Amino acid sequence: MLSLYTQILTAYGPRGWWPVPGSAGHRGFDPRGYHPGDFTHPRTPAGRFEVIMGAVLTQNTAWTNADAALARLRKAGVRLPSDILALPHSRLSGLIRSSGYFNQKAKKLKAVAALFSHQRALTPAGAPSREALLSEWGIGAETADSILLYAFYKPVFVVDAYTRRVLSRIGLIEGSERYEDIQALFHDALKQQPALYNEYHALIVQHARRHCTTRPECATCPVRPCRYRRHASPRAGAPRARA
DNA sequence: CGCCAGGTGGGAT
DNA sequence: ATCCCACATGGC
């Protein structure tokens, strides 16, 4: 686990994703997504809630699509749970249209707004537990953990489809393990620091997009050893290897 | 035009 | 417990 981190950090450099306490500057969720000035400070209630809405809106969706929806919400003055709760479903779904699944996500935002509607819920002391998040409709393991890590700086590693793919290609997991089992690999091997988990996750995303794609580009891959490399075809078009 | 993108809940087996 | 599917837009 640590070896993978070191290798992809060296290869890609720090990603500088969602800010953590003590970081010098505030850059956006995704370097290509947010721009300085667009974004709300993540240690205020509105800032935390923006991160939370982003976590829902980006579910199985390109970040650019989710970000466009966040921008429209911001422009419409939607900043806090009470704003979401005050909107009719049709108006809300219209505002977030670009994020895809807009009917489902409007419902999810309503649910998440209800959970965070008490002012204390958007403060560090009042942060909901993982169990409380998971019990809300529309919040699964990854979204819950994204909220805990990125909105509340809890030392919780976020496992996503990229994580599963990269680790299984390398041979660190089989691929069908349960979410929490994969997460435990990170929790057990690394110091439990939010900034580390943040950076590591961002680096996995970068690696999965740059080299460890559906059709991987193993020829220039910076990660070694990798089990998949032996099976992978160096050029596109060849039949995909299966273990 | 086809595929993919930082998932989740619900229903069938 | 596991598998299958609906949910939907936008970029390449």
Side-chain angles (χ1 to χ4, degrees), chain A residues 4 7 165-172 207 211-212 216-218 221-232:
Chain A
L4 173 62
Q7 290 184 63
R165 184 168 76 204
V166 169
L167 292 197
S168 65
R169 290 255 177 82
I170 293 172
L172 265 40
H207 177 55
H211 289 101
C212 207
E217 293 188 37
C218 297
C221 179
V223 175
R224 273 164 281 186
C226 179
R227 212 171 189 334
Y228 193 86
R229 184 186 287 269
R230 290 179 289 129
H231 302 292

Side-chain angles (χ1 to χ4, degrees), chain A residues 10-24:
Chain A
T10 302
Y12 304 116
R15 296 292 84 204
W17 267 22
W18 298 355
V20 294
S23 68

Side-chain angles (χ1 to χ4, degrees), chain A residues 123-235:
Chain A
T123 67
S129 66
R130 189 173 196 268
E131 291 68 35
L133 288 165
L134 289 175
S135 70
E136 207 61 52
W137 192 89
I139 302 186
E142 184 187 337
T143 305
D145 289 340
S146 292
I147 290 170
L148 291 171
L149 177 65
Y150 293 116
F152 294 104
Y153 312 115
K154 303 287 186 186
V156 176
F157 198 90
V158 175
V159 175
D160 59 10
Y162 286 159
T163 309
R164 199 175 284 272
R165 184 168 76 204
V166 169
L167 292 197
S168 65
R169 290 255 177 82
I170 293 172
L172 265 40
I173 63 174
E174 189 278 328
S176 58
E177 289 85 349
R178 291 204 339 254
Y179 181 101
E180 284 77 11
D181 295 333
I182 298 172
Q183 184 179 51
L185 294 177
F186 292 90
H187 287 175
D188 293 344
L190 305 168
K191 294 195 173 181
Q192 303 195 0
Q193 299 170 340
L196 172 61
Y197 290 172
N198 181 337
E199 187 62 45
Y200 201 162
H201 176 70
L203 284 166
I204 287 175
V205 171
Q206 176 68 18
H207 177 55
R209 293 210 271 230
R210 173 62 186 84
H211 289 101
C212 207
T213 44
T214 303
R215 295 289 190 77
E217 293 188 37
C218 297
T220 53
C221 179
V223 175
R224 273 164 281 186
C226 179
R227 212 171 189 334
Y228 193 86
R229 184 186 287 269
R230 290 179 289 129
H231 302 292
S233 52
R235 42 168 207 78

Side-chain angles (χ1 to χ4, degrees), chain A residues 72 96 190 232:
Chain A
R72 290 194 63 183
I96 64 172
L190 305 168

